[in-house]
Amino acid sequence: MYLTTFNTMGTVWLLLSFLGVRLGHDENVPRNLGLVGTGILTVILVLSAITALRSGIIDPVWAPLSVILSLFVAAIAVLAVALWRTPLVIRARYAAPVVVFAHVFDGISTAIGTDVIGVAERSPFHAPSWSSPAGCRRPRPSGAVGCSSS
C-alpha cells in the first residue's frame, strides 16, 4: 500500500512539476499537488463512508472517536516538541503536525480496531510464512514453502 501511494503521488508530482515548468508557473506546483491530493482524499473518504454505513460494517462511534482522540494526542505531542525544540518545528512547518497526527492516528485506530472491534492487521510481513523452515539458510520471500536455491 505504501509503495503504491508513493508511486502514485510521485507520478502526480512529476507530472505537475513538468507542466508547471512547461507553462512557466513552477511556483504553483505545491499548491496544485495539495489540491489534487485533497480532491482524491475527499472522494475516497466519502465513498468509503457511504459504503461502510450502507453495509453496516462500521460503528459510527469508534471512527470519530479515534479521530478526535488522535487530534488531541497529536496536538499535545506537537506542542511538547515545539516547546522543547522550537527551531526544528519552525523549520518543518506544516509537515511536523501532519506526520505526528498520521502516526498517532495509525496507532490509536489500530488499538481501537484490535482491542475494541476485534479486527487484526493483515500484512504480508507479519505472516508466519517468513519463518525459515528447518535446515534452510534463506526462506523463499514469496511465502512459498521450502528453501530458496541460492
Side-chain angles (χ1 to χ4, degrees), residues 91-132:
R91 219 172 35 235
R93 295 185 57 183
Y94 300 116
V98 169
V99 169
V100 170
F101 172 77
H103 282 66
V104 169
F105 182 65
D106 181 43
I108 288 178
S109 63
T110 300
I112 288 175
T114 55
D115 293 343
V116 178
I117 300 173
V119 296
E121 282 193 19
R122 293 180 298 169
S123 172
F125 296 110
H126 296 118
S129 64
W130 281 91
S131 61
S132 178

PDB file of all heavy atoms in Angstrom, residues 91-132:
ATOM      1  N   ARG A  91      11.175  24.942  11.302  1.00  0.00           N
ATOM      2  CA  ARG A  91      11.746  24.534  10.021  1.00  0.00           C
ATOM      3  C   ARG A  91      10.859  23.511   9.311  1.00  0.00           C
ATOM      4  O   ARG A  91      10.747  23.510   8.086  1.00  0.00           O
ATOM      5  CB  ARG A  91      13.143  23.971  10.237  1.00  0.00           C
ATOM      6  CG  ARG A  91      14.105  24.364   9.181  1.00  0.00           C
ATOM      7  CD  ARG A  91      15.546  23.996   9.431  1.00  0.00           C
ATOM      8  NE  ARG A  91      15.780  22.755  10.122  1.00  0.00           N
ATOM      9  CZ  ARG A  91      16.492  22.643  11.237  1.00  0.00           C
ATOM     10  NH1 ARG A  91      17.027  23.704  11.787  1.00  0.00           N
ATOM     11  NH2 ARG A  91      16.687  21.480  11.801  1.00  0.00           N
ATOM     12  N   ALA A  92      10.225  22.642  10.061  1.00  0.00           N
ATOM     13  CA  ALA A  92       9.369  21.613   9.467  1.00  0.00           C
ATOM     14  C   ALA A  92       8.018  22.173   9.018  1.00  0.00           C
ATOM     15  O   ALA A  92       7.345  21.564   8.203  1.00  0.00           O
ATOM     16  CB  ALA A  92       9.147  20.474  10.452  1.00  0.00           C
ATOM     17  N   ARG A  93       7.629  23.296   9.563  1.00  0.00           N
ATOM     18  CA  ARG A  93       6.367  23.968   9.239  1.00  0.00           C
ATOM     19  C   ARG A  93       5.172  23.035   9.394  1.00  0.00           C
ATOM     20  O   ARG A  93       4.952  22.477  10.452  1.00  0.00           O
ATOM     21  CB  ARG A  93       6.443  24.592   7.861  1.00  0.00           C
ATOM     22  CG  ARG A  93       7.483  25.702   7.798  1.00  0.00           C
ATOM     23  CD  ARG A  93       7.493  26.398   6.506  1.00  0.00           C
ATOM     24  NE  ARG A  93       6.152  26.945   6.235  1.00  0.00           N
ATOM     25  CZ  ARG A  93       5.843  27.563   5.127  1.00  0.00           C
ATOM     26  NH1 ARG A  93       6.736  27.710   4.200  1.00  0.00           N
ATOM     27  NH2 ARG A  93       4.645  28.031   4.944  1.00  0.00           N
ATOM     28  N   TYR A  94       4.404  22.857   8.343  1.00  0.00           N
ATOM     29  CA  TYR A  94       3.167  22.079   8.430  1.00  0.00           C
ATOM     30  C   TYR A  94       3.404  20.580   8.408  1.00  0.00           C
ATOM     31  O   TYR A  94       2.508  19.813   8.763  1.00  0.00           O
ATOM     32  CB  TYR A  94       2.226  22.460   7.288  1.00  0.00           C
ATOM     33  CG  TYR A  94       1.844  23.912   7.304  1.00  0.00           C
ATOM     34  CD1 TYR A  94       2.209  24.757   6.268  1.00  0.00           C
ATOM     35  CD2 TYR A  94       1.140  24.449   8.369  1.00  0.00           C
ATOM     36  CE1 TYR A  94       1.874  26.088   6.295  1.00  0.00           C
ATOM     37  CE2 TYR A  94       0.801  25.790   8.402  1.00  0.00           C
ATOM     38  CZ  TYR A  94       1.164  26.606   7.355  1.00  0.00           C
ATOM     39  OH  TYR A  94       0.831  27.919   7.376  1.00  0.00           O
ATOM     40  N   ALA A  95       4.562  20.167   7.973  1.00  0.00           N
ATOM     41  CA  ALA A  95       4.833  18.730   7.883  1.00  0.00           C
ATOM     42  C   ALA A  95       4.863  18.085   9.263  1.00  0.00           C
ATOM     43  O   ALA A  95       4.405  16.950   9.421  1.00  0.00           O
ATOM     44  CB  ALA A  95       6.150  18.486   7.163  1.00  0.00           C
ATOM     45  N   ALA A  96       5.381  18.788  10.260  1.00  0.00           N
ATOM     46  CA  ALA A  96       5.507  18.207  11.596  1.00  0.00           C
ATOM     47  C   ALA A  96       4.154  17.790  12.172  1.00  0.00           C
ATOM     48  O   ALA A  96       3.983  16.625  12.556  1.00  0.00           O
ATOM     49  CB  ALA A  96       6.225  19.176  12.534  1.00  0.00           C
ATOM     50  N   PRO A  97       3.167  18.661  12.242  1.00  0.00           N
ATOM     51  CA  PRO A  97       1.885  18.221  12.802  1.00  0.00           C
ATOM     52  C   PRO A  97       1.190  17.153  11.951  1.00  0.00           C
ATOM     53  O   PRO A  97       0.547  16.257  12.490  1.00  0.00           O
ATOM     54  CB  PRO A  97       1.031  19.483  12.856  1.00  0.00           C
ATOM     55  CG  PRO A  97       1.902  20.623  12.539  1.00  0.00           C
ATOM     56  CD  PRO A  97       3.179  20.095  11.989  1.00  0.00           C
ATOM     57  N   VAL A  98       1.341  17.226  10.648  1.00  0.00           N
ATOM     58  CA  VAL A  98       0.690  16.243   9.783  1.00  0.00           C
ATOM     59  C   VAL A  98       1.298  14.860  10.005  1.00  0.00           C
ATOM     60  O   VAL A  98       0.576  13.863  10.142  1.00  0.00           O
ATOM     61  CB  VAL A  98       0.795  16.659   8.296  1.00  0.00           C
ATOM     62  CG1 VAL A  98       0.367  15.531   7.384  1.00  0.00           C
ATOM     63  CG2 VAL A  98      -0.024  17.906   8.035  1.00  0.00           C
ATOM     64  N   VAL A  99       2.614  14.789  10.071  1.00  0.00           N
ATOM     65  CA  VAL A  99       3.281  13.496  10.273  1.00  0.00           C
ATOM     66  C   VAL A  99       2.977  12.942  11.662  1.00  0.00           C
ATOM     67  O   VAL A  99       2.692  11.751  11.815  1.00  0.00           O
ATOM     68  CB  VAL A  99       4.801  13.634  10.045  1.00  0.00           C
ATOM     69  CG1 VAL A  99       5.540  12.404  10.504  1.00  0.00           C
ATOM     70  CG2 VAL A  99       5.088  13.919   8.584  1.00  0.00           C
ATOM     71  N   VAL A 100       3.011  13.801  12.672  1.00  0.00           N
ATOM     72  CA  VAL A 100       2.703  13.342  14.028  1.00  0.00           C
ATOM     73  C   VAL A 100       1.261  12.843  14.098  1.00  0.00           C
ATOM     74  O   VAL A 100       0.984  11.782  14.659  1.00  0.00           O
ATOM     75  CB  VAL A 100       2.960  14.461  15.061  1.00  0.00           C
ATOM     76  CG1 VAL A 100       2.420  14.078  16.428  1.00  0.00           C
ATOM     77  CG2 VAL A 100       4.447  14.769  15.155  1.00  0.00           C
ATOM     78  N   PHE A 101       0.322  13.600  13.512  1.00  0.00           N
ATOM     79  CA  PHE A 101      -1.073  13.160  13.517  1.00  0.00           C
ATOM     80  C   PHE A 101      -1.228  11.827  12.794  1.00  0.00           C
ATOM     81  O   PHE A 101      -1.953  10.944  13.262  1.00  0.00           O
ATOM     82  CB  PHE A 101      -2.002  14.201  12.872  1.00  0.00           C
ATOM     83  CG  PHE A 101      -3.394  13.688  12.688  1.00  0.00           C
ATOM     84  CD1 PHE A 101      -4.256  13.604  13.769  1.00  0.00           C
ATOM     85  CD2 PHE A 101      -3.836  13.251  11.449  1.00  0.00           C
ATOM     86  CE1 PHE A 101      -5.542  13.103  13.618  1.00  0.00           C
ATOM     87  CE2 PHE A 101      -5.116  12.749  11.283  1.00  0.00           C
ATOM     88  CZ  PHE A 101      -5.971  12.682  12.374  1.00  0.00           C
ATOM     89  N   ALA A 102      -0.580  11.661  11.656  1.00  0.00           N
ATOM     90  CA  ALA A 102      -0.703  10.416  10.898  1.00  0.00           C
ATOM     91  C   ALA A 102      -0.243   9.219  11.725  1.00  0.00           C
ATOM     92  O   ALA A 102      -0.907   8.172  11.744  1.00  0.00           O
ATOM     93  CB  ALA A 102       0.095  10.512   9.607  1.00  0.00           C
ATOM     94  N   HIS A 103       0.873   9.365  12.423  1.00  0.00           N
ATOM     95  CA  HIS A 103       1.377   8.256  13.227  1.00  0.00           C
ATOM     96  C   HIS A 103       0.490   7.998  14.441  1.00  0.00           C
ATOM     97  O   HIS A 103       0.221   6.843  14.793  1.00  0.00           O
ATOM     98  CB  HIS A 103       2.819   8.532  13.656  1.00  0.00           C
ATOM     99  CG  HIS A 103       3.804   8.278  12.563  1.00  0.00           C
ATOM    100  ND1 HIS A 103       3.848   9.012  11.417  1.00  0.00           N
ATOM    101  CD2 HIS A 103       4.785   7.353  12.439  1.00  0.00           C
ATOM    102  CE1 HIS A 103       4.804   8.570  10.628  1.00  0.00           C
ATOM    103  NE2 HIS A 103       5.392   7.551  11.236  1.00  0.00           N
ATOM    104  N   VAL A 104       0.041   9.061  15.078  1.00  0.00           N
ATOM    105  CA  VAL A 104      -0.838   8.899  16.245  1.00  0.00           C
ATOM    106  C   VAL A 104      -2.160   8.260  15.820  1.00  0.00           C
ATOM    107  O   VAL A 104      -2.670   7.356  16.482  1.00  0.00           O
ATOM    108  CB  VAL A 104      -1.069  10.261  16.942  1.00  0.00           C
ATOM    109  CG1 VAL A 104      -2.175  10.172  17.971  1.00  0.00           C
ATOM    110  CG2 VAL A 104       0.210  10.750  17.598  1.00  0.00           C
ATOM    111  N   PHE A 105      -2.708   8.733  14.721  1.00  0.00           N
ATOM    112  CA  PHE A 105      -3.973   8.180  14.224  1.00  0.00           C
ATOM    113  C   PHE A 105      -3.819   6.711  13.864  1.00  0.00           C
ATOM    114  O   PHE A 105      -4.707   5.898  14.161  1.00  0.00           O
ATOM    115  CB  PHE A 105      -4.470   8.983  13.023  1.00  0.00           C
ATOM    116  CG  PHE A 105      -5.777   8.501  12.478  1.00  0.00           C
ATOM    117  CD1 PHE A 105      -6.930   8.589  13.239  1.00  0.00           C
ATOM    118  CD2 PHE A 105      -5.865   7.952  11.212  1.00  0.00           C
ATOM    119  CE1 PHE A 105      -8.151   8.138  12.754  1.00  0.00           C
ATOM    120  CE2 PHE A 105      -7.059   7.507  10.712  1.00  0.00           C
ATOM    121  CZ  PHE A 105      -8.213   7.602  11.479  1.00  0.00           C
ATOM    122  N   ASP A 106      -2.711   6.357  13.233  1.00  0.00           N
ATOM    123  CA  ASP A 106      -2.466   4.952  12.903  1.00  0.00           C
ATOM    124  C   ASP A 106      -2.429   4.110  14.170  1.00  0.00           C
ATOM    125  O   ASP A 106      -3.042   3.045  14.232  1.00  0.00           O
ATOM    126  CB  ASP A 106      -1.159   4.824  12.121  1.00  0.00           C
ATOM    127  CG  ASP A 106      -0.863   3.380  11.729  1.00  0.00           C
ATOM    128  OD1 ASP A 106      -1.797   2.683  11.300  1.00  0.00           O
ATOM    129  OD2 ASP A 106       0.297   2.955  11.857  1.00  0.00           O
ATOM    130  N   GLY A 107      -1.728   4.584  15.178  1.00  0.00           N
ATOM    131  CA  GLY A 107      -1.627   3.829  16.423  1.00  0.00           C
ATOM    132  C   GLY A 107      -2.946   3.713  17.157  1.00  0.00           C
ATOM    133  O   GLY A 107      -3.334   2.626  17.616  1.00  0.00           O
ATOM    134  N   ILE A 108      -3.672   4.818  17.273  1.00  0.00           N
ATOM    135  CA  ILE A 108      -4.935   4.801  18.018  1.00  0.00           C
ATOM    136  C   ILE A 108      -6.000   4.001  17.279  1.00  0.00           C
ATOM    137  O   ILE A 108      -6.728   3.208  17.879  1.00  0.00           O
ATOM    138  CB  ILE A 108      -5.395   6.241  18.317  1.00  0.00           C
ATOM    139  CG1 ILE A 108      -4.479   6.850  19.385  1.00  0.00           C
ATOM    140  CG2 ILE A 108      -6.853   6.283  18.756  1.00  0.00           C
ATOM    141  CD1 ILE A 108      -4.778   8.274  19.740  1.00  0.00           C
ATOM    142  N   SER A 109      -6.085   4.172  15.974  1.00  0.00           N
ATOM    143  CA  SER A 109      -7.093   3.409  15.223  1.00  0.00           C
ATOM    144  C   SER A 109      -6.764   1.917  15.224  1.00  0.00           C
ATOM    145  O   SER A 109      -7.675   1.081  15.286  1.00  0.00           O
ATOM    146  CB  SER A 109      -7.228   3.940  13.795  1.00  0.00           C
ATOM    147  OG  SER A 109      -6.020   3.786  13.085  1.00  0.00           O
ATOM    148  N   THR A 110      -5.486   1.571  15.196  1.00  0.00           N
ATOM    149  CA  THR A 110      -5.105   0.163  15.285  1.00  0.00           C
ATOM    150  C   THR A 110      -5.442  -0.398  16.658  1.00  0.00           C
ATOM    151  O   THR A 110      -5.952  -1.515  16.779  1.00  0.00           O
ATOM    152  CB  THR A 110      -3.596  -0.013  14.995  1.00  0.00           C
ATOM    153  OG1 THR A 110      -3.329   0.458  13.673  1.00  0.00           O
ATOM    154  CG2 THR A 110      -3.176  -1.467  15.117  1.00  0.00           C
ATOM    155  N   ALA A 111      -5.188   0.387  17.709  1.00  0.00           N
ATOM    156  CA  ALA A 111      -5.518  -0.069  19.066  1.00  0.00           C
ATOM    157  C   ALA A 111      -7.022  -0.264  19.235  1.00  0.00           C
ATOM    158  O   ALA A 111      -7.465  -1.275  19.793  1.00  0.00           O
ATOM    159  CB  ALA A 111      -5.004   0.945  20.086  1.00  0.00           C
ATOM    160  N   ILE A 112      -7.806   0.670  18.742  1.00  0.00           N
ATOM    161  CA  ILE A 112      -9.268   0.524  18.826  1.00  0.00           C
ATOM    162  C   ILE A 112      -9.721  -0.666  17.994  1.00  0.00           C
ATOM    163  O   ILE A 112     -10.569  -1.453  18.427  1.00  0.00           O
ATOM    164  CB  ILE A 112      -9.967   1.830  18.377  1.00  0.00           C
ATOM    165  CG1 ILE A 112      -9.768   2.910  19.433  1.00  0.00           C
ATOM    166  CG2 ILE A 112     -11.454   1.600  18.126  1.00  0.00           C
ATOM    167  CD1 ILE A 112     -10.308   4.274  19.047  1.00  0.00           C
ATOM    168  N   GLY A 113      -9.145  -0.818  16.806  1.00  0.00           N
ATOM    169  CA  GLY A 113      -9.529  -1.938  15.943  1.00  0.00           C
ATOM    170  C   GLY A 113      -9.232  -3.289  16.556  1.00  0.00           C
ATOM    171  O   GLY A 113     -10.055  -4.207  16.497  1.00  0.00           O
ATOM    172  N   THR A 114      -8.056  -3.431  17.158  1.00  0.00           N
ATOM    173  CA  THR A 114      -7.684  -4.740  17.713  1.00  0.00           C
ATOM    174  C   THR A 114      -8.314  -5.002  19.076  1.00  0.00           C
ATOM    175  O   THR A 114      -8.746  -6.115  19.350  1.00  0.00           O
ATOM    176  CB  THR A 114      -6.160  -4.878  17.827  1.00  0.00           C
ATOM    177  OG1 THR A 114      -5.646  -3.795  18.594  1.00  0.00           O
ATOM    178  CG2 THR A 114      -5.514  -4.888  16.459  1.00  0.00           C
ATOM    179  N   ASP A 115      -8.377  -3.990  19.923  1.00  0.00           N
ATOM    180  CA  ASP A 115      -8.869  -4.203  21.284  1.00  0.00           C
ATOM    181  C   ASP A 115     -10.380  -4.118  21.418  1.00  0.00           C
ATOM    182  O   ASP A 115     -10.984  -4.872  22.176  1.00  0.00           O
ATOM    183  CB  ASP A 115      -8.223  -3.200  22.246  1.00  0.00           C
ATOM    184  CG  ASP A 115      -6.741  -3.444  22.416  1.00  0.00           C
ATOM    185  OD1 ASP A 115      -6.278  -4.541  22.068  1.00  0.00           O
ATOM    186  OD2 ASP A 115      -6.039  -2.533  22.896  1.00  0.00           O
ATOM    187  N   VAL A 116     -11.003  -3.188  20.712  1.00  0.00           N
ATOM    188  CA  VAL A 116     -12.431  -2.961  20.897  1.00  0.00           C
ATOM    189  C   VAL A 116     -13.266  -3.675  19.838  1.00  0.00           C
ATOM    190  O   VAL A 116     -14.217  -4.380  20.144  1.00  0.00           O
ATOM    191  CB  VAL A 116     -12.740  -1.441  20.885  1.00  0.00           C
ATOM    192  CG1 VAL A 116     -14.221  -1.185  21.021  1.00  0.00           C
ATOM    193  CG2 VAL A 116     -11.976  -0.733  21.992  1.00  0.00           C
ATOM    194  N   ILE A 117     -12.898  -3.490  18.573  1.00  0.00           N
ATOM    195  CA  ILE A 117     -13.705  -4.030  17.487  1.00  0.00           C
ATOM    196  C   ILE A 117     -13.359  -5.488  17.215  1.00  0.00           C
ATOM    197  O   ILE A 117     -14.187  -6.261  16.756  1.00  0.00           O
ATOM    198  CB  ILE A 117     -13.538  -3.167  16.218  1.00  0.00           C
ATOM    199  CG1 ILE A 117     -13.980  -1.726  16.517  1.00  0.00           C
ATOM    200  CG2 ILE A 117     -14.332  -3.727  15.060  1.00  0.00           C
ATOM    201  CD1 ILE A 117     -13.712  -0.751  15.394  1.00  0.00           C
ATOM    202  N   GLY A 118     -12.126  -5.875  17.480  1.00  0.00           N
ATOM    203  CA  GLY A 118     -11.735  -7.275  17.312  1.00  0.00           C
ATOM    204  C   GLY A 118     -11.227  -7.631  15.935  1.00  0.00           C
ATOM    205  O   GLY A 118     -11.327  -8.783  15.523  1.00  0.00           O
ATOM    206  N   VAL A 119     -10.682  -6.665  15.216  1.00  0.00           N
ATOM    207  CA  VAL A 119     -10.090  -6.958  13.909  1.00  0.00           C
ATOM    208  C   VAL A 119      -8.580  -6.971  14.053  1.00  0.00           C
ATOM    209  O   VAL A 119      -8.028  -6.409  14.987  1.00  0.00           O
ATOM    210  CB  VAL A 119     -10.522  -5.922  12.840  1.00  0.00           C
ATOM    211  CG1 VAL A 119     -12.001  -5.992  12.599  1.00  0.00           C
ATOM    212  CG2 VAL A 119     -10.101  -4.528  13.230  1.00  0.00           C
ATOM    213  N   ALA A 120      -7.909  -7.615  13.108  1.00  0.00           N
ATOM    214  CA  ALA A 120      -6.453  -7.690  13.155  1.00  0.00           C
ATOM    215  C   ALA A 120      -5.877  -7.072  11.895  1.00  0.00           C
ATOM    216  O   ALA A 120      -6.516  -7.078  10.846  1.00  0.00           O
ATOM    217  CB  ALA A 120      -6.004  -9.137  13.283  1.00  0.00           C
ATOM    218  N   GLU A 121      -4.667  -6.561  12.007  1.00  0.00           N
ATOM    219  CA  GLU A 121      -3.980  -6.035  10.832  1.00  0.00           C
ATOM    220  C   GLU A 121      -3.557  -7.205   9.964  1.00  0.00           C
ATOM    221  O   GLU A 121      -3.133  -8.237  10.459  1.00  0.00           O
ATOM    222  CB  GLU A 121      -2.744  -5.230  11.243  1.00  0.00           C
ATOM    223  CG  GLU A 121      -3.071  -3.865  11.738  1.00  0.00           C
ATOM    224  CD  GLU A 121      -1.828  -2.994  11.837  1.00  0.00           C
ATOM    225  OE1 GLU A 121      -0.818  -3.313  11.209  1.00  0.00           O
ATOM    226  OE2 GLU A 121      -1.890  -2.001  12.561  1.00  0.00           O
ATOM    227  N   ARG A 122      -3.647  -7.001   8.664  1.00  0.00           N
ATOM    228  CA  ARG A 122      -3.204  -8.019   7.722  1.00  0.00           C
ATOM    229  C   ARG A 122      -2.047  -7.442   6.934  1.00  0.00           C
ATOM    230  O   ARG A 122      -2.196  -6.439   6.260  1.00  0.00           O
ATOM    231  CB  ARG A 122      -4.330  -8.421   6.793  1.00  0.00           C
ATOM    232  CG  ARG A 122      -5.440  -9.134   7.519  1.00  0.00           C
ATOM    233  CD  ARG A 122      -6.541  -9.534   6.586  1.00  0.00           C
ATOM    234  NE  ARG A 122      -7.112  -8.318   6.014  1.00  0.00           N
ATOM    235  CZ  ARG A 122      -7.954  -8.309   5.016  1.00  0.00           C
ATOM    236  NH1 ARG A 122      -8.328  -9.428   4.471  1.00  0.00           N
ATOM    237  NH2 ARG A 122      -8.437  -7.180   4.541  1.00  0.00           N
ATOM    238  N   SER A 123      -0.908  -8.076   7.049  1.00  0.00           N
ATOM    239  CA  SER A 123       0.275  -7.622   6.343  1.00  0.00           C
ATOM    240  C   SER A 123       1.111  -8.833   5.969  1.00  0.00           C
ATOM    241  O   SER A 123       1.270  -9.740   6.774  1.00  0.00           O
ATOM    242  CB  SER A 123       1.088  -6.680   7.239  1.00  0.00           C
ATOM    243  OG  SER A 123       2.318  -6.381   6.635  1.00  0.00           O
ATOM    244  N   PRO A 124       1.668  -8.830   4.771  1.00  0.00           N
ATOM    245  CA  PRO A 124       2.496  -9.985   4.401  1.00  0.00           C
ATOM    246  C   PRO A 124       3.767 -10.080   5.233  1.00  0.00           C
ATOM    247  O   PRO A 124       4.367 -11.127   5.313  1.00  0.00           O
ATOM    248  CB  PRO A 124       2.817  -9.734   2.924  1.00  0.00           C
ATOM    249  CG  PRO A 124       2.620  -8.286   2.709  1.00  0.00           C
ATOM    250  CD  PRO A 124       1.560  -7.859   3.689  1.00  0.00           C
ATOM    251  N   PHE A 125       4.164  -8.999   5.859  1.00  0.00           N
ATOM    252  CA  PHE A 125       5.392  -9.029   6.645  1.00  0.00           C
ATOM    253  C   PHE A 125       5.186  -9.622   8.025  1.00  0.00           C
ATOM    254  O   PHE A 125       6.127  -9.952   8.703  1.00  0.00           O
ATOM    255  CB  PHE A 125       5.987  -7.626   6.754  1.00  0.00           C
ATOM    256  CG  PHE A 125       6.416  -7.100   5.420  1.00  0.00           C
ATOM    257  CD1 PHE A 125       5.728  -6.065   4.828  1.00  0.00           C
ATOM    258  CD2 PHE A 125       7.467  -7.664   4.739  1.00  0.00           C
ATOM    259  CE1 PHE A 125       6.101  -5.584   3.591  1.00  0.00           C
ATOM    260  CE2 PHE A 125       7.851  -7.195   3.502  1.00  0.00           C
ATOM    261  CZ  PHE A 125       7.169  -6.149   2.927  1.00  0.00           C
ATOM    262  N   HIS A 126       3.948  -9.750   8.453  1.00  0.00           N
ATOM    263  CA  HIS A 126       3.670 -10.356   9.747  1.00  0.00           C
ATOM    264  C   HIS A 126       3.238 -11.804   9.620  1.00  0.00           C
ATOM    265  O   HIS A 126       2.935 -12.452  10.592  1.00  0.00           O
ATOM    266  CB  HIS A 126       2.567  -9.570  10.471  1.00  0.00           C
ATOM    267  CG  HIS A 126       2.982  -8.177  10.788  1.00  0.00           C
ATOM    268  ND1 HIS A 126       2.339  -7.083  10.268  1.00  0.00           N
ATOM    269  CD2 HIS A 126       3.985  -7.694  11.535  1.00  0.00           C
ATOM    270  CE1 HIS A 126       2.924  -5.984  10.706  1.00  0.00           C
ATOM    271  NE2 HIS A 126       3.919  -6.324  11.459  1.00  0.00           N
ATOM    272  N   ALA A 127       3.171 -12.289   8.404  1.00  0.00           N
ATOM    273  CA  ALA A 127       2.717 -13.653   8.171  1.00  0.00           C
ATOM    274  C   ALA A 127       3.748 -14.658   8.674  1.00  0.00           C
ATOM    275  O   ALA A 127       4.949 -14.430   8.573  1.00  0.00           O
ATOM    276  CB  ALA A 127       2.465 -13.874   6.682  1.00  0.00           C
ATOM    277  N   PRO A 128       3.308 -15.785   9.205  1.00  0.00           N
ATOM    278  CA  PRO A 128       4.259 -16.784   9.703  1.00  0.00           C
ATOM    279  C   PRO A 128       5.060 -17.461   8.605  1.00  0.00           C
ATOM    280  O   PRO A 128       6.012 -18.151   8.883  1.00  0.00           O
ATOM    281  CB  PRO A 128       3.371 -17.793  10.432  1.00  0.00           C
ATOM    282  CG  PRO A 128       2.009 -17.599   9.874  1.00  0.00           C
ATOM    283  CD  PRO A 128       1.921 -16.167   9.441  1.00  0.00           C
ATOM    284  N   SER A 129       4.698 -17.263   7.326  1.00  0.00           N
ATOM    285  CA  SER A 129       5.427 -17.914   6.247  1.00  0.00           C
ATOM    286  C   SER A 129       6.845 -17.368   6.089  1.00  0.00           C
ATOM    287  O   SER A 129       7.648 -17.940   5.374  1.00  0.00           O
ATOM    288  CB  SER A 129       4.664 -17.754   4.931  1.00  0.00           C
ATOM    289  OG  SER A 129       4.601 -16.384   4.584  1.00  0.00           O
ATOM    290  N   TRP A 130       7.160 -16.275   6.754  1.00  0.00           N
ATOM    291  CA  TRP A 130       8.503 -15.709   6.652  1.00  0.00           C
ATOM    292  C   TRP A 130       9.496 -16.427   7.558  1.00  0.00           C
ATOM    293  O   TRP A 130      10.689 -16.218   7.467  1.00  0.00           O
ATOM    294  CB  TRP A 130       8.498 -14.219   6.993  1.00  0.00           C
ATOM    295  CG  TRP A 130       8.008 -13.411   5.848  1.00  0.00           C
ATOM    296  CD1 TRP A 130       6.722 -13.037   5.610  1.00  0.00           C
ATOM    297  CD2 TRP A 130       8.776 -12.892   4.764  1.00  0.00           C
ATOM    298  NE1 TRP A 130       6.650 -12.324   4.448  1.00  0.00           N
ATOM    299  CE2 TRP A 130       7.903 -12.217   3.913  1.00  0.00           C
ATOM    300  CE3 TRP A 130      10.116 -12.946   4.424  1.00  0.00           C
ATOM    301  CZ2 TRP A 130       8.315 -11.590   2.754  1.00  0.00           C
ATOM    302  CZ3 TRP A 130      10.529 -12.320   3.269  1.00  0.00           C
ATOM    303  CH2 TRP A 130       9.637 -11.651   2.447  1.00  0.00           C
ATOM    304  N   SER A 131       9.010 -17.290   8.432  1.00  0.00           N
ATOM    305  CA  SER A 131       9.940 -18.016   9.280  1.00  0.00           C
ATOM    306  C   SER A 131      10.642 -19.085   8.454  1.00  0.00           C
ATOM    307  O   SER A 131      10.062 -19.669   7.546  1.00  0.00           O
ATOM    308  CB  SER A 131       9.206 -18.647  10.461  1.00  0.00           C
ATOM    309  OG  SER A 131       8.243 -19.548   9.972  1.00  0.00           O
ATOM    310  N   SER A 132      11.872 -19.313   8.772  1.00  0.00           N
ATOM    311  CA  SER A 132      12.689 -20.242   7.994  1.00  0.00           C
ATOM    312  C   SER A 132      12.358 -21.684   8.349  1.00  0.00           C
ATOM    313  O   SER A 132      12.370 -22.066   9.516  1.00  0.00           O
ATOM    314  CB  SER A 132      14.162 -19.961   8.287  1.00  0.00           C
ATOM    315  OG  SER A 132      14.973 -20.867   7.601  1.00  0.00           O
TER     316      SER A 132
END
